[in-house]
Amino acid sequence: MSDMSEGSNTAMTSATAAPAPGHPYVDAATGQVMVRPSALTAADAGSLAGAAAGALGLVWLLYERILPFSGALGFWLCWYVAFLALYWGIARSQWEARHVREKIATAVFTGAGLLVLAVLADMIGYIGWRGATAVGHRGFLATDMQKTGPLDGLDSGGILHAMIGSLEQLGLATLFAVPLGFAAAVFMSEIGGRLARPVRTVVEAMTALPSIVAGLFVFGAVILSLGFDRSGLAASIALTVMMMPIVTRAAEVVIRVVPNTLREASYALGASQWRTVWNVVLPTARSGLTTAILLGMARAVGETSPVLLTAGFSSGRNSNPFSGEQTSLPLYVWNYVRYPQPDMKIRAFGAALALMLMVLILFVAARLVGGRGPGELSRRRRRRMARDRVAPSSAAPPSPPARPVPAAAAVVHPQPEPAS
């Protein structure tokens, strides 16, 4: 009896114990064999390490010693293909076919993600390594290039005028493009009608518009036809042409994602279409609309050809975007990286590093402003609501004691006087 009870207890313990990740187990409820293929076990780690090491040795032997090939890109591409082939063979000898397909797909997509991160890290690291020398100088961010020549050292000259130009041009372009893009998105998604399809077709066509075409359009329509000079305002108009279709398409997609039940609830409460859009649809899609703005800014912040045609180039500082030529950071990089002098190239890389940092600050600020979810209150608003709840109970004056209600006075009807 004791042996039987111990056996039953052991069976119950093994059935109720948590299964080891990656190993098959029997589900007590359904009786089916279950497995967690996505969990990383010691066998998975060993298989990955063995496939990676084997592929590295095989490719090095064939690529570098036997076959007449060379180059880092081809070497790592061949290694990745050999790694997948070896990993498939090792996995096929351990798991079922469906688990092998899942693990191969995981390896492929994980490798693609790591490749993108590696390329991004390499680009940022190279620009940071080359530009840190220029940014480290004290006057690089506080001076311009008006009194600096090609043979001057890094102690002279900076990017202050280009930073001012980029901020003003990007700010004006955002000021012009965001209201127009949001209005077009609301028109196509909320109002519709016969003009919605032509407007959507034009917006989609403008999304693939080359930047040089936008610069030529503003150069011909604003500078040559209307007689305006090259300025930061003309450059911001060209950047607006580039930003507006991006903002419109992204905003339309986000607005269409808002559930129709919210609109119906607003209409049921008696709100008009304008009130529904302004107070329900747009606040619900706030996070996505912020992303749309960021996409438009990302498209416009690095443009060089429209700015070159419309803003010109100046080595001095010009804080007025409505008059005179004005330089931006992309144009600064494009102009000075072509110089043969090493110090001028270092200045160009320093400007590129400052551009990346400026864009990062702008994106983080925009995300903090509009990145909250639908209905989520800010900390300031929550503190204010907490104070409003506490204030009536603590600061309200004591109510006066209730007075006794006087009894209703009897209404005495006078006796009529006898007739004389």
Side-chain angles (χ1 to χ4, degrees):
M1 290 290 293
S2 60
D3 295 339
M4 295 177 61
S5 60
E6 291 177 1
S8 60
N9 293 335
T10 305
M12 292 177 60
T13 304
S14 61
T16 57
H23 293 279
Y25 64 95
V26 178
D27 190 3
T30 60
Q32 297 178 353
V33 178
M34 309 296 290
V35 71
R36 299 178 187 175
S38 60
L40 183 62
T41 62
D44 294 333
S47 301
L48 290 171
L56 183 62
L58 178 63
V59 172
W60 178 82
L61 179 62
L62 296 176
Y63 199 88
E64 297 290 341
R65 297 301 179 183
I66 299 177
L67 300 177
F69 296 150
S70 62
L73 180 60
F75 177 85
W76 290 112
L77 182 60
C78 294
W79 171 85
Y80 186 64
V81 174
F83 162 73
L84 292 178
L86 291 178
Y87 184 59
W88 177 85
I90 295 174
R92 190 67 181 88
S93 62
Q94 302 181 64
W95 300 291
E96 298 179 3
R98 59 191 180 97
H99 300 157
V100 172
R101 289 193 297 268
E102 195 273 340
K103 292 180 182 298
I104 293 297
T106 302
V108 169
F109 290 112
T110 303
L114 293 177
L115 177 62
V116 172
L117 291 178
V119 172
L120 183 62
D122 179 72
M123 180 182 64
I124 295 176
Y126 181 75
I127 294 176
W129 173 63
R130 294 292 301 273
T133 306
V135 177
H137 287 271
R138 182 174 55 184
F140 185 73
L141 300 177
T143 57
D144 53 30
M145 296 291 293
Q146 189 171 9
K147 299 181 179 180
T148 303
L151 300 179
D152 292 334
L154 294 176
D155 295 335
S156 175
I159 59 171
L160 179 61
H161 61 301
M163 292 179 60
I164 293 175
S166 290
L167 289 175
E168 290 181 350
Q169 293 170 16
L170 184 61
L172 288 175
T174 305
L175 182 63
F176 297 154
V178 170
L180 294 175
F182 284 3
V186 169
F187 170 76
M188 290 187 294
S189 60
E190 298 295 326
I191 299 176
R194 295 182 178 180
L195 293 178
R197 185 179 295 274
V199 171
R200 186 176 293 107
T201 303
V202 172
V203 170
E204 291 178 354
M206 290 180 62
T207 305
L209 184 70
S211 59
I212 188 67
V213 176
L216 289 174
F217 167 74
V218 176
F219 181 77
V222 177
I223 296 177
L224 296 181
S225 300
L226 300 180
F228 288 94
D229 296 330
R230 295 183 179 182
S231 60
L233 177 62
S236 65
I237 295 175
L239 296 180
T240 301
V241 176
M242 304 301 301
M243 286 182 61
M244 189 175 63
I246 305 295
V247 175
T248 303
R249 288 296 298 151
E252 182 192 8
V253 172
V254 171
I255 292 175
R256 286 182 178 275
V257 174
V258 176
N260 288 328
T261 54
L262 298 178
R263 300 180 177 88
E264 294 171 358
S266 178
Y267 294 147
L269 293 175
S272 61
Q273 187 179 19
W274 162 247
R275 282 294 180 184
T276 301
V277 172
W278 184 258
N279 294 332
V280 177
V281 177
L282 295 182
T284 304
R286 177 176 53 192
S287 179
L289 295 177
T290 304
T291 304
I293 297 175
L294 296 183
L295 291 175
M297 293 173 64
R299 174 67 188 275
V301 70
E303 294 294 341
T304 304
S305 53
V307 179
L308 178 63
L309 293 173
T310 55
F313 185 83
S314 175
S315 58
R317 180 172 52 186
N318 180 16
S319 302
N320 185 9
F322 303 99
S323 176
E325 296 184 349
Q326 193 178 53
T327 305
S328 63
L329 283 174
L331 188 57
Y332 183 100
V333 175
W334 176 83
N335 184 73
Y336 289 123
V337 79
R338 300 179 299 146
Y339 278 68
Q341 290 79 11
D343 290 341
M344 301 300 287
K345 295 182 181 295
I346 293 176
R347 290 189 180 95
F349 278 100
L353 179 60
L355 178 61
M356 289 195 306
L357 295 177
M358 184 182 69
V359 171
L360 178 63
I361 293 173
L362 291 175
F363 279 19
V364 171
R367 178 58 62 187
L368 292 177
V369 170
R372 294 185 297 271
E376 183 180 354
L377 301 177
S378 62
R379 294 183 179 179
R380 182 178 180 183
R381 182 61 179 171
R382 289 197 295 268
R383 288 196 298 265
R384 181 179 298 177
M385 293 179 64
R387 288 196 299 267
D388 293 342
R389 287 195 299 267
V390 174
S393 59
S394 60
S399 57
R403 297 180 179 179
V405 180
V411 179
V412 179
H413 298 280
Q415 295 292 333
E417 296 179 0
S420 57

